[in-house]
Amino acid sequence: MVVKVFVDVLSQPCRSVMLFLKNSKIPHEFVYVELLKDEHKKPEFQAINPMMQVPAMKDGDFCLSESVAILRYLAMKYPNDYPDNWYPADIEKRAKVDEYMAFQHQGIRHPLEELAYEEAWPYPVMLNKPIDEEAVKKYHEHTKGKLDIFAKTWLGKKPFLLGAEVSFADVMAVNELVQSTISRDPVTDSNDTLKAYMERLRDALNPVFDELSADVYKWRDEFIAKNKK
């Protein structure tokens, strides 16, 4: 049976699930839901995910939301259909992946979203409001501090978060970091460790990584061209 996964490539969690599936043998189908066209609010999608968020998954009659839950479900249902490094069978290594995924939301996703909401999305773009430079400065410094902790505590001198190979933890982290480059002054630019980490992941996951990130790159280029200081 083919698993249906409902996605929008502008969503960081969606791209994380898509990267895993495209690096696996799990039978799947992507169903594209355009958030900017309010397709997530349609009754047929609400029947799959009443919270009206992506990603969402439908496996037969079983529906599931939230990227972390989806990744774990797919890994446990299809343990022989993906490289072990993504979600290791070894209980201690798997626990370290789970540890990062528990940290992810408040650790880097929330700080990066706070900054993006003030500078790029949705206030200046969707609501056509001027950028609040003082708010951007405050959130930029706060987020920079959070990313410095991430780079030092979680990554350190390792090539990837678990060591030598890519895992769920890395794809979740890198998609947040890529999204943060939609900025006049990307908060990652001042951290050489993070920039090198992002390039290693891009190299490890290409050509799929750039394929899934194409719309984000386009969004970034358009935003920067329009909002140069």
Side-chain angles (χ1 to χ4, degrees), residues 44-81:
E44 55 267 35
F45 183 71
Q46 290 187 51
I48 295 162
N49 183 8
M51 292 183 289
M52 297 181 288
Q53 296 174 337
V54 289
M57 185 205 77
K58 192 171 191 296
D59 186 10
D61 294 327
F62 178 66
C63 297
L64 190 64
S65 64
E66 298 297 332
S67 57
V68 171
I70 291 169
L71 287 169
R72 287 174 173 156
Y73 173 84
L74 293 171
M76 289 186 288
K77 182 167 182 179
Y78 299 96
N80 300 316
D81 289 335

mmCIF file of all heavy atoms in Angstrom, residues 44-81:
data_model
loop_
_atom_site.group_PDB
_atom_site.id
_atom_site.type_symbol
_atom_site.label_atom_id
_atom_site.label_comp_id
_atom_site.label_asym_id
_atom_site.label_seq_id
_atom_site.Cartn_x
_atom_site.Cartn_y
_atom_site.Cartn_z
ATOM 1 N N GLU A 44 -11.992 18.407 2.474
ATOM 2 C CA GLU A 44 -11.373 17.109 2.222
ATOM 3 C C GLU A 44 -10.020 16.979 2.921
ATOM 4 O O GLU A 44 -9.613 15.870 3.294
ATOM 5 C CB GLU A 44 -11.227 16.858 0.712
ATOM 6 C CG GLU A 44 -10.473 17.917 -0.057
ATOM 7 C CD GLU A 44 -11.375 18.982 -0.666
ATOM 8 O OE1 GLU A 44 -12.398 19.328 -0.028
ATOM 9 O OE2 GLU A 44 -11.048 19.454 -1.774
ATOM 10 N N PHE A 45 -9.304 18.109 3.096
ATOM 11 C CA PHE A 45 -8.049 18.028 3.842
ATOM 12 C C PHE A 45 -8.308 18.017 5.343
ATOM 13 O O PHE A 45 -7.613 17.317 6.091
ATOM 14 C CB PHE A 45 -7.109 19.179 3.482
ATOM 15 C CG PHE A 45 -5.780 19.078 4.185
ATOM 16 C CD1 PHE A 45 -4.860 18.098 3.831
ATOM 17 C CD2 PHE A 45 -5.461 19.924 5.234
ATOM 18 C CE1 PHE A 45 -3.652 17.969 4.503
ATOM 19 C CE2 PHE A 45 -4.250 19.805 5.909
ATOM 20 C CZ PHE A 45 -3.341 18.820 5.538
ATOM 21 N N GLN A 46 -9.295 18.762 5.798
ATOM 22 C CA GLN A 46 -9.631 18.750 7.218
ATOM 23 C C GLN A 46 -10.029 17.364 7.696
ATOM 24 O O GLN A 46 -9.836 17.020 8.869
ATOM 25 C CB GLN A 46 -10.768 19.726 7.504
ATOM 26 C CG GLN A 46 -10.383 21.186 7.365
ATOM 27 C CD GLN A 46 -11.488 22.112 7.819
ATOM 28 O OE1 GLN A 46 -12.014 21.964 8.910
ATOM 29 N NE2 GLN A 46 -11.850 23.070 6.980
ATOM 30 N N ALA A 47 -10.566 16.550 6.791
ATOM 31 C CA ALA A 47 -10.925 15.179 7.159
ATOM 32 C C ALA A 47 -9.689 14.348 7.457
ATOM 33 O O ALA A 47 -9.751 13.372 8.208
ATOM 34 C CB ALA A 47 -11.727 14.541 6.024
ATOM 35 N N ILE A 48 -8.547 14.740 6.874
ATOM 36 C CA ILE A 48 -7.282 14.036 7.112
ATOM 37 C C ILE A 48 -6.563 14.625 8.317
ATOM 38 O O ILE A 48 -6.042 13.911 9.164
ATOM 39 C CB ILE A 48 -6.397 14.110 5.853
ATOM 40 C CG1 ILE A 48 -7.085 13.344 4.719
ATOM 41 C CG2 ILE A 48 -4.997 13.564 6.114
ATOM 42 C CD1 ILE A 48 -6.568 13.678 3.358
ATOM 43 N N ASN A 49 -6.535 15.946 8.395
ATOM 44 C CA ASN A 49 -5.925 16.621 9.538
ATOM 45 C C ASN A 49 -6.817 17.782 9.982
ATOM 46 O O ASN A 49 -6.764 18.859 9.379
ATOM 47 C CB ASN A 49 -4.521 17.132 9.196
ATOM 48 C CG ASN A 49 -3.851 17.770 10.406
ATOM 49 O OD1 ASN A 49 -4.365 17.711 11.527
ATOM 50 N ND2 ASN A 49 -2.703 18.382 10.189
ATOM 51 N N PRO A 50 -7.629 17.601 11.007
ATOM 52 C CA PRO A 50 -8.522 18.657 11.476
ATOM 53 C C PRO A 50 -7.793 19.929 11.911
ATOM 54 O O PRO A 50 -8.395 21.005 11.971
ATOM 55 C CB PRO A 50 -9.251 18.008 12.662
ATOM 56 C CG PRO A 50 -9.142 16.542 12.419
ATOM 57 C CD PRO A 50 -7.803 16.348 11.746
ATOM 58 N N MET A 51 -6.486 19.812 12.206
ATOM 59 C CA MET A 51 -5.715 21.000 12.599
ATOM 60 C C MET A 51 -5.311 21.837 11.393
ATOM 61 O O MET A 51 -4.740 22.918 11.543
ATOM 62 C CB MET A 51 -4.485 20.579 13.404
ATOM 63 C CG MET A 51 -4.832 19.994 14.757
ATOM 64 S SD MET A 51 -3.399 19.555 15.762
ATOM 65 C CE MET A 51 -2.794 18.117 14.879
ATOM 66 N N MET A 52 -5.555 21.298 10.195
ATOM 67 C CA MET A 52 -5.318 22.023 8.939
ATOM 68 C C MET A 52 -3.857 22.448 8.792
ATOM 69 O O MET A 52 -3.550 23.583 8.442
ATOM 70 C CB MET A 52 -6.249 23.238 8.818
ATOM 71 C CG MET A 52 -7.709 22.874 8.769
ATOM 72 S SD MET A 52 -8.809 24.310 8.596
ATOM 73 C CE MET A 52 -8.648 25.037 10.239
ATOM 74 N N GLN A 53 -2.953 21.526 9.086
ATOM 75 C CA GLN A 53 -1.524 21.796 8.964
ATOM 76 C C GLN A 53 -0.859 20.706 8.138
ATOM 77 O O GLN A 53 -1.351 19.579 8.065
ATOM 78 C CB GLN A 53 -0.872 21.849 10.352
ATOM 79 C CG GLN A 53 -1.379 22.988 11.221
ATOM 80 C CD GLN A 53 -0.810 22.926 12.628
ATOM 81 O OE1 GLN A 53 -0.389 21.880 13.112
ATOM 82 N NE2 GLN A 53 -0.793 24.061 13.299
ATOM 83 N N VAL A 54 0.256 21.070 7.514
ATOM 84 C CA VAL A 54 1.078 20.093 6.816
ATOM 85 C C VAL A 54 2.434 20.017 7.518
ATOM 86 O O VAL A 54 2.853 20.994 8.139
ATOM 87 C CB VAL A 54 1.272 20.480 5.318
ATOM 88 C CG1 VAL A 54 -0.020 20.291 4.557
ATOM 89 C CG2 VAL A 54 1.792 21.910 5.164
ATOM 90 N N PRO A 55 3.082 18.837 7.444
ATOM 91 C CA PRO A 55 2.675 17.642 6.716
ATOM 92 C C PRO A 55 1.576 16.871 7.433
ATOM 93 O O PRO A 55 1.393 17.008 8.643
ATOM 94 C CB PRO A 55 3.958 16.820 6.647
ATOM 95 C CG PRO A 55 4.672 17.183 7.913
ATOM 96 C CD PRO A 55 4.401 18.653 8.108
ATOM 97 N N ALA A 56 0.883 16.070 6.645
ATOM 98 C CA ALA A 56 -0.074 15.112 7.164
ATOM 99 C C ALA A 56 0.112 13.831 6.362
ATOM 100 O O ALA A 56 0.680 13.858 5.269
ATOM 101 C CB ALA A 56 -1.499 15.634 7.056
ATOM 102 N N MET A 57 -0.382 12.724 6.903
ATOM 103 C CA MET A 57 -0.156 11.431 6.257
ATOM 104 C C MET A 57 -1.426 10.598 6.313
ATOM 105 O O MET A 57 -2.190 10.679 7.284
ATOM 106 C CB MET A 57 0.970 10.704 6.989
ATOM 107 C CG MET A 57 1.417 9.396 6.383
ATOM 108 S SD MET A 57 2.163 8.331 7.649
ATOM 109 C CE MET A 57 0.692 7.735 8.488
ATOM 110 N N LYS A 58 -1.651 9.827 5.263
ATOM 111 C CA LYS A 58 -2.771 8.884 5.233
ATOM 112 C C LYS A 58 -2.237 7.540 4.749
ATOM 113 O O LYS A 58 -1.758 7.419 3.623
ATOM 114 C CB LYS A 58 -3.887 9.385 4.313
ATOM 115 C CG LYS A 58 -5.199 8.614 4.441
ATOM 116 C CD LYS A 58 -6.313 9.321 3.658
ATOM 117 C CE LYS A 58 -7.681 8.731 3.979
ATOM 118 N NZ LYS A 58 -7.825 7.334 3.570
ATOM 119 N N ASP A 59 -2.313 6.556 5.608
ATOM 120 C CA ASP A 59 -1.850 5.210 5.297
ATOM 121 C C ASP A 59 -3.058 4.287 5.420
ATOM 122 O O ASP A 59 -3.410 3.857 6.524
ATOM 123 C CB ASP A 59 -0.748 4.803 6.274
ATOM 124 C CG ASP A 59 -0.111 3.471 5.912
ATOM 125 O OD1 ASP A 59 -0.388 2.959 4.816
ATOM 126 O OD2 ASP A 59 0.663 2.943 6.733
ATOM 127 N N GLY A 60 -3.709 4.013 4.288
ATOM 128 C CA GLY A 60 -4.979 3.309 4.347
ATOM 129 C C GLY A 60 -6.010 4.196 5.007
ATOM 130 O O GLY A 60 -6.252 5.314 4.556
ATOM 131 N N ASP A 61 -6.588 3.730 6.106
ATOM 132 C CA ASP A 61 -7.567 4.534 6.841
ATOM 133 C C ASP A 61 -6.929 5.287 8.005
ATOM 134 O O ASP A 61 -7.624 6.021 8.717
ATOM 135 C CB ASP A 61 -8.685 3.639 7.384
ATOM 136 C CG ASP A 61 -9.526 3.026 6.269
ATOM 137 O OD1 ASP A 61 -9.692 3.703 5.230
ATOM 138 O OD2 ASP A 61 -9.991 1.886 6.439
ATOM 139 N N PHE A 62 -5.626 5.094 8.184
ATOM 140 C CA PHE A 62 -4.942 5.707 9.324
ATOM 141 C C PHE A 62 -4.369 7.060 8.932
ATOM 142 O O PHE A 62 -3.598 7.172 7.975
ATOM 143 C CB PHE A 62 -3.828 4.789 9.808
ATOM 144 C CG PHE A 62 -3.034 5.354 10.963
ATOM 145 C CD1 PHE A 62 -3.629 5.550 12.196
ATOM 146 C CD2 PHE A 62 -1.691 5.688 10.806
ATOM 147 C CE1 PHE A 62 -2.909 6.062 13.265
ATOM 148 C CE2 PHE A 62 -0.962 6.205 11.863
ATOM 149 C CZ PHE A 62 -1.576 6.392 13.104
ATOM 150 N N CYS A 63 -4.740 8.100 9.679
ATOM 151 C CA CYS A 63 -4.250 9.461 9.404
ATOM 152 C C CYS A 63 -3.373 9.928 10.558
ATOM 153 O O CYS A 63 -3.608 9.589 11.723
ATOM 154 C CB CYS A 63 -5.424 10.422 9.221
ATOM 155 S SG CYS A 63 -6.466 10.031 7.805
ATOM 156 N N LEU A 64 -2.361 10.732 10.208
ATOM 157 C CA LEU A 64 -1.411 11.191 11.208
ATOM 158 C C LEU A 64 -0.899 12.567 10.805
ATOM 159 O O LEU A 64 -0.718 12.862 9.626
ATOM 160 C CB LEU A 64 -0.247 10.204 11.295
ATOM 161 C CG LEU A 64 0.767 10.356 12.430
ATOM 162 C CD1 LEU A 64 0.094 10.120 13.789
ATOM 163 C CD2 LEU A 64 1.924 9.382 12.244
ATOM 164 N N SER A 65 -0.672 13.417 11.796
ATOM 165 C CA SER A 65 -0.083 14.735 11.542
ATOM 166 C C SER A 65 1.188 14.868 12.373
ATOM 167 O O SER A 65 1.534 13.981 13.149
ATOM 168 C CB SER A 65 -1.069 15.847 11.900
ATOM 169 O OG SER A 65 -1.354 15.835 13.290
ATOM 170 N N GLU A 66 1.877 15.983 12.202
ATOM 171 C CA GLU A 66 3.120 16.323 12.900
ATOM 172 C C GLU A 66 4.307 15.559 12.307
ATOM 173 O O GLU A 66 4.332 14.328 12.274
ATOM 174 C CB GLU A 66 3.023 16.079 14.409
ATOM 175 C CG GLU A 66 1.965 16.914 15.097
ATOM 176 C CD GLU A 66 2.231 18.408 15.009
ATOM 177 O OE1 GLU A 66 3.422 18.808 14.914
ATOM 178 O OE2 GLU A 66 1.249 19.187 15.044
ATOM 179 N N SER A 67 5.295 16.315 11.876
ATOM 180 C CA SER A 67 6.430 15.739 11.149
ATOM 181 C C SER A 67 7.190 14.693 11.960
ATOM 182 O O SER A 67 7.579 13.645 11.425
ATOM 183 C CB SER A 67 7.384 16.850 10.698
ATOM 184 O OG SER A 67 7.836 17.616 11.807
ATOM 185 N N VAL A 68 7.415 14.947 13.237
ATOM 186 C CA VAL A 68 8.170 13.994 14.056
ATOM 187 C C VAL A 68 7.410 12.683 14.183
ATOM 188 O O VAL A 68 7.983 11.592 14.042
ATOM 189 C CB VAL A 68 8.480 14.588 15.448
ATOM 190 C CG1 VAL A 68 9.075 13.523 16.367
ATOM 191 C CG2 VAL A 68 9.443 15.763 15.318
ATOM 192 N N ALA A 69 6.110 12.775 14.428
ATOM 193 C CA ALA A 69 5.293 11.558 14.539
ATOM 194 C C ALA A 69 5.287 10.789 13.221
ATOM 195 O O ALA A 69 5.373 9.554 13.206
ATOM 196 C CB ALA A 69 3.868 11.928 14.947
ATOM 197 N N ILE A 70 5.196 11.513 12.116
ATOM 198 C CA ILE A 70 5.186 10.868 10.797
ATOM 199 C C ILE A 70 6.515 10.161 10.533
ATOM 200 O O ILE A 70 6.550 9.014 10.077
ATOM 201 C CB ILE A 70 4.868 11.894 9.698
ATOM 202 C CG1 ILE A 70 3.413 12.364 9.823
ATOM 203 C CG2 ILE A 70 5.113 11.306 8.305
ATOM 204 C CD1 ILE A 70 3.070 13.567 8.945
ATOM 205 N N LEU A 71 7.619 10.837 10.809
ATOM 206 C CA LEU A 71 8.936 10.230 10.595
ATOM 207 C C LEU A 71 9.096 8.951 11.423
ATOM 208 O O LEU A 71 9.552 7.915 10.924
ATOM 209 C CB LEU A 71 10.038 11.228 10.940
ATOM 210 C CG LEU A 71 10.257 12.373 9.953
ATOM 211 C CD1 LEU A 71 11.189 13.422 10.555
ATOM 212 C CD2 LEU A 71 10.831 11.853 8.639
ATOM 213 N N ARG A 72 8.710 9.021 12.678
ATOM 214 C CA ARG A 72 8.854 7.843 13.541
ATOM 215 C C ARG A 72 7.945 6.702 13.070
ATOM 216 O O ARG A 72 8.353 5.529 13.064
ATOM 217 C CB ARG A 72 8.523 8.222 14.984
ATOM 218 C CG ARG A 72 9.596 9.065 15.658
ATOM 219 C CD ARG A 72 9.129 9.517 17.019
ATOM 220 N NE ARG A 72 10.183 10.193 17.766
ATOM 221 C CZ ARG A 72 9.950 11.061 18.746
ATOM 222 N NH1 ARG A 72 8.711 11.355 19.097
ATOM 223 N NH2 ARG A 72 10.950 11.638 19.388
ATOM 224 N N TYR A 73 6.735 7.027 12.702
ATOM 225 C CA TYR A 73 5.803 6.004 12.228
ATOM 226 C C TYR A 73 6.354 5.291 11.000
ATOM 227 O O TYR A 73 6.359 4.049 10.927
ATOM 228 C CB TYR A 73 4.454 6.657 11.899
ATOM 229 C CG TYR A 73 3.457 5.730 11.233
ATOM 230 C CD1 TYR A 73 2.648 4.888 11.986
ATOM 231 C CD2 TYR A 73 3.334 5.695 9.841
ATOM 232 C CE1 TYR A 73 1.741 4.029 11.378
ATOM 233 C CE2 TYR A 73 2.432 4.842 9.224
ATOM 234 C CZ TYR A 73 1.633 4.017 9.996
ATOM 235 O OH TYR A 73 0.738 3.169 9.381
ATOM 236 N N LEU A 74 6.803 6.071 10.029
ATOM 237 C CA LEU A 74 7.330 5.475 8.799
ATOM 238 C C LEU A 74 8.563 4.619 9.079
ATOM 239 O O LEU A 74 8.727 3.532 8.514
ATOM 240 C CB LEU A 74 7.667 6.572 7.797
ATOM 241 C CG LEU A 74 6.459 7.354 7.238
ATOM 242 C CD1 LEU A 74 6.939 8.555 6.437
ATOM 243 C CD2 LEU A 74 5.581 6.452 6.380
ATOM 244 N N ALA A 75 9.427 5.117 9.967
ATOM 245 C CA ALA A 75 10.642 4.365 10.291
ATOM 246 C C ALA A 75 10.315 3.050 10.976
ATOM 247 O O ALA A 75 10.951 2.014 10.708
ATOM 248 C CB ALA A 75 11.551 5.210 11.182
ATOM 249 N N MET A 76 9.319 3.059 11.851
ATOM 250 C CA MET A 76 8.970 1.839 12.581
ATOM 251 C C MET A 76 8.183 0.862 11.715
ATOM 252 O O MET A 76 8.316 -0.356 11.861
ATOM 253 C CB MET A 76 8.201 2.191 13.849
ATOM 254 C CG MET A 76 9.080 2.851 14.908
ATOM 255 S SD MET A 76 8.254 3.145 16.499
ATOM 256 C CE MET A 76 7.141 4.487 16.079
ATOM 257 N N LYS A 77 7.366 1.376 10.803
ATOM 258 C CA LYS A 77 6.579 0.483 9.949
ATOM 259 C C LYS A 77 7.434 -0.135 8.846
ATOM 260 O O LYS A 77 7.188 -1.269 8.427
ATOM 261 C CB LYS A 77 5.400 1.233 9.340
ATOM 262 C CG LYS A 77 4.519 0.329 8.471
ATOM 263 C CD LYS A 77 3.201 0.927 8.100
ATOM 264 C CE LYS A 77 2.381 -0.074 7.289
ATOM 265 N NZ LYS A 77 1.046 0.447 6.914
ATOM 266 N N TYR A 78 8.433 0.621 8.365
ATOM 267 C CA TYR A 78 9.265 0.149 7.251
ATOM 268 C C TYR A 78 10.731 0.100 7.665
ATOM 269 O O TYR A 78 11.580 0.779 7.075
ATOM 270 C CB TYR A 78 9.089 1.078 6.046
ATOM 271 C CG TYR A 78 7.681 1.146 5.516
ATOM 272 C CD1 TYR A 78 6.818 2.173 5.905
ATOM 273 C CD2 TYR A 78 7.212 0.196 4.613
ATOM 274 C CE1 TYR A 78 5.519 2.238 5.404
ATOM 275 C CE2 TYR A 78 5.919 0.264 4.097
ATOM 276 C CZ TYR A 78 5.080 1.283 4.513
ATOM 277 O OH TYR A 78 3.793 1.352 4.019
ATOM 278 N N PRO A 79 11.086 -0.692 8.676
ATOM 279 C CA PRO A 79 12.450 -0.665 9.217
ATOM 280 C C PRO A 79 13.530 -1.140 8.248
ATOM 281 O O PRO A 79 14.709 -0.824 8.461
ATOM 282 C CB PRO A 79 12.359 -1.605 10.434
ATOM 283 C CG PRO A 79 11.235 -2.534 10.103
ATOM 284 C CD PRO A 79 10.241 -1.687 9.366
ATOM 285 N N ASN A 80 13.140 -1.858 7.210
ATOM 286 C CA ASN A 80 14.135 -2.382 6.270
ATOM 287 C C ASN A 80 14.202 -1.592 4.965
ATOM 288 O O ASN A 80 14.909 -2.001 4.040
ATOM 289 C CB ASN A 80 13.821 -3.849 5.952
ATOM 290 C CG ASN A 80 13.838 -4.720 7.187
ATOM 291 O OD1 ASN A 80 14.735 -4.612 8.019
ATOM 292 N ND2 ASN A 80 12.823 -5.567 7.332
ATOM 293 N N ASP A 81 13.490 -0.477 4.914
ATOM 294 C CA ASP A 81 13.376 0.262 3.654
ATOM 295 C C ASP A 81 14.086 1.611 3.660
ATOM 296 O O ASP A 81 13.808 2.470 2.817
ATOM 297 C CB ASP A 81 11.899 0.457 3.292
ATOM 298 C CG ASP A 81 11.233 -0.840 2.860
ATOM 299 O OD1 ASP A 81 11.959 -1.738 2.381
ATOM 300 O OD2 ASP A 81 10.008 -0.967 2.994
#
